[in-house]
Amino acid sequence: MTLDQGLLGLVRALPVGWRFAKVHPRRRELPEQVVVAAGRAAVVTSFASFDGSARFAVVSARDTLETLAVHLHGVRGE
Amino acid sequence: MTGAAIPGLDDVLAAERPRLVRLCARLTETTEAAEDLAQETLIEAWRNGHKLRAPDAVQSWLSGIARNVCLRWARRQGREFDRVLVAGGHVGTAGGYDMTEPPSDFDLDVELERDELATLLDRAMALLPAETRAALVAHYLEDAPQAAVAARLGVSEGAVAVRLHRGRLALRRLLATELREHAAPYGLVAPDRAGWQETRLWCPRCGGRRLGRFDAATGELALTCPACFPEPDAIPDHVTPLETGMPGLFRGIKGYQAALNRLAAWQHAYYAPALVRRAAPCVKCGAQVPLRPGLSPDWQPPPSVRRGAGSFCAATAVG
Ligand SMILES: [Zn+2]
Ligand SMILES: [Zn+2]
């Protein structure tokens, strides 16, 4: 049996991802982007509120999926 | 100046005040501003009384206004920021935005869900004949045994049983007819043939409402969107105990939002250490099995994952 977990699900389950979802229950999940971050192959997973006022992106290492950076824009604190 | 559009709105608003104060206190996590924010909510509601389409939905309408008032307040407080956090293995706290606290079952949406659900049941109960209502309240809400209810109402136990039975049927009928529109988002309306119920969750692709199938007893949760996934077999989000190894994952959970929170908490608890250790416990026997993060060439992701999302990790868990 294999337990598979998409990166999207991992990011959603990060406390910061979950918080974003809580503040913006109506949000878009944007397609993953492959980038190079600090010389490493990385994947950007991002979410945006439907009104476009807030964005949230997690940069994960392509090979290990470890979180390299979290970008928040216009996200309300709680 | 249109507050008089709904007869009796003033009285309703006055009666709602204590609930709104509590709601604003929860939303802003401060009690100091709650009174003022509730007042602001009531004023806005009164000004916009003519926009209230369904007078019987006044409570959820007010909750919506309170939410907006509280959000505006949070903005005025400067609780906005724009920054990049560089994580050194883990993510910390920034700008009051707690990044480490795992999701819990206690959160505002869940509370609102419960609050509105209680209100809805109140309304359904209010539509029942007085004696049916008395039996239901005593038995279900006050947990009184049938014999005690019988003694209190001065009728036989058999009569109580009949009233309870009729009451349950009547409630179900009300929730499926007159109150259907309000009951559907709480999963109180009988599901369609394939078992899907309307939920209060938004689709992250099209912004419409998602459909759900949820069974706390079996630990199964499925979410889909009829607009984005018209093929009945393409279920973008589907969790079963086969994947989590936890038939009791959703024990005690009623709503979809609460179920999602529980799931996120589990996923985080499972994968956060797993990504560091590169191994995860087998969901069946607990033995550590290697986690294979990144693209797996031999893995066929479900249709939802294929849509642009190519990264995932796989823990091969053998029983
Ligand atoms: Zn959709
Ligand atoms: Zn095993």
Side-chain angles (χ1 to χ4, degrees):
Chain A
M1 193 187 88
T2 307
L3 177 64
D4 294 306
Q5 176 63 57
L7 177 61
L8 189 63
L10 291 178
V11 169
R12 267 192 217 132
L14 284 177
V16 62
W18 183 80
R19 287 272 161 167
F20 185 87
K22 190 175 143 184
V23 178
H24 301 285
R26 200 166 180 213
R27 66 199 176 280
R28 269 179 220 286
E29 293 176 353
L30 308 169
E32 276 181 15
Q33 282 176 287
V34 178
V35 298
V36 174
R40 275 179 95 169
V43 187
V44 180
T45 312
S46 41
F47 300 71
S49 60
F50 248 86
D51 63 7
S53 66
R55 285 195 309 279
F56 154 61
V58 171
V59 184
S60 313
R62 188 87 170 107
D63 50 357
T64 61
L65 298 190
E66 93 188 78
T67 302
L68 300 176
V70 176
H71 297 244
L72 297 165
H73 170 81
V75 179
R76 281 181 311 276
E78 296 219 282
Chain B
M1 303 299 261
T2 45
I6 307 285
L9 183 63
D10 288 351
D11 292 340
V12 174
L13 293 184
E16 280 290 299
R17 189 193 181 86
R19 186 180 73 86
L20 291 172
V21 173
R22 287 195 303 275
L23 176 60
C24 292
R26 281 209 304 264
L27 278 166
T28 58
E29 290 175 359
T30 159
T31 49
E32 284 148 43
E35 288 278 348
D36 288 348
L37 293 169
Q39 182 65 21
E40 205 176 320
T41 301
L42 289 170
I43 291 170
E44 199 161 308
W46 189 79
R47 274 204 209 109
N48 291 291
H50 61 288
K51 291 186 193 159
L52 177 58
R53 296 265 149 67
D56 57 350
V58 68
Q59 276 169 320
S60 45
W61 179 66
L62 285 171
S63 299
I65 296 175
R67 252 172 281 192
N68 286 332
V69 166
C70 290
L71 290 182
R72 283 203 306 266
W73 176 85
R75 285 204 187 110
R76 284 201 302 273
Q77 299 293 303
R79 295 190 174 194
E80 277 185 299
F81 56 95
D82 182 357
R83 68 178 64 197
V84 176
L85 306 164
V86 176
H90 68 279
V91 185
T93 302
Y97 200 75
D98 189 346
M99 326 261 291
T100 50
E101 183 197 322
S104 73
D105 293 338
F106 182 87
D107 90 68
L108 184 67
D109 292 327
V110 174
E111 285 304 299
L112 281 173
E113 225 168 38
R114 258 184 228 146
D115 212 33
E116 288 165 14
L117 179 60
T119 302
L120 177 68
L121 288 173
D122 277 351
R123 286 173 47 207
M125 292 286 253
L127 294 171
L128 296 175
E131 56 176 30
T132 310
R133 189 168 64 231
L136 281 173
V137 168
H139 186 62
Y140 288 106
L141 300 183
E142 295 163 12
D143 264 342
Q146 286 193 16
V149 179
R152 191 191 314 176
L153 300 179
V155 297
S156 72
E157 249 186 88
V160 169
V162 169
R163 278 183 203 178
L164 286 175
H165 179 67
R166 284 206 195 120
R168 279 195 301 269
L169 289 181
L171 259 187
R172 204 177 300 156
R173 200 168 50 239
L174 276 172
L175 293 173
T177 54
E178 279 170 65
L179 298 173
R180 186 188 170 92
E181 197 187 319
H182 306 291
Y186 303 101
L188 292 175
V189 168
D192 68 12
R193 222 177 312 157
W196 293 107
Q197 297 177 308
E198 195 182 316
T199 75
R200 283 158 47 96
L201 304 172
W202 302 102
C203 171
R205 297 161 192 97
C206 70
R209 292 287 191 188
R210 291 208 269 184
L211 296 179
R213 253 185 350 217
F214 173 51
D215 188 344
T218 61
E220 184 165 357
L221 171 70
L223 291 166
T224 189
C225 167
C228 301
F229 296 90
E231 317 83 36
D233 293 338
I235 302 173
D237 297 288
H238 196 185
V239 179
T240 70
L242 277 182
E243 285 122 49
T244 62
M246 308 248 312
L249 181 63
F250 299 121
R251 194 166 292 144
I253 292 220
K254 296 216 165 61
Y256 283 93
Q257 183 64 55
L260 272 188
N261 293 353
R262 178 73 61 86
L263 175 66
W266 176 81
Q267 285 177 317
H268 184 64
Y270 185 86
Y271 281 104
L275 286 174
V276 175
R277 275 193 257 117
R278 313 264 172 106
C282 167
V283 297
K284 284 174 96 178
C285 70
Q288 290 288 327
V289 287
L291 193 71
R292 292 182 284 114
L295 267 183
S296 157
D298 57 340
W299 189 75
Q300 275 301 308
S304 60
V305 174
R306 202 172 298 140
R307 216 187 17 79
S311 306
F312 56 90
C313 53
T316 308
V318 186

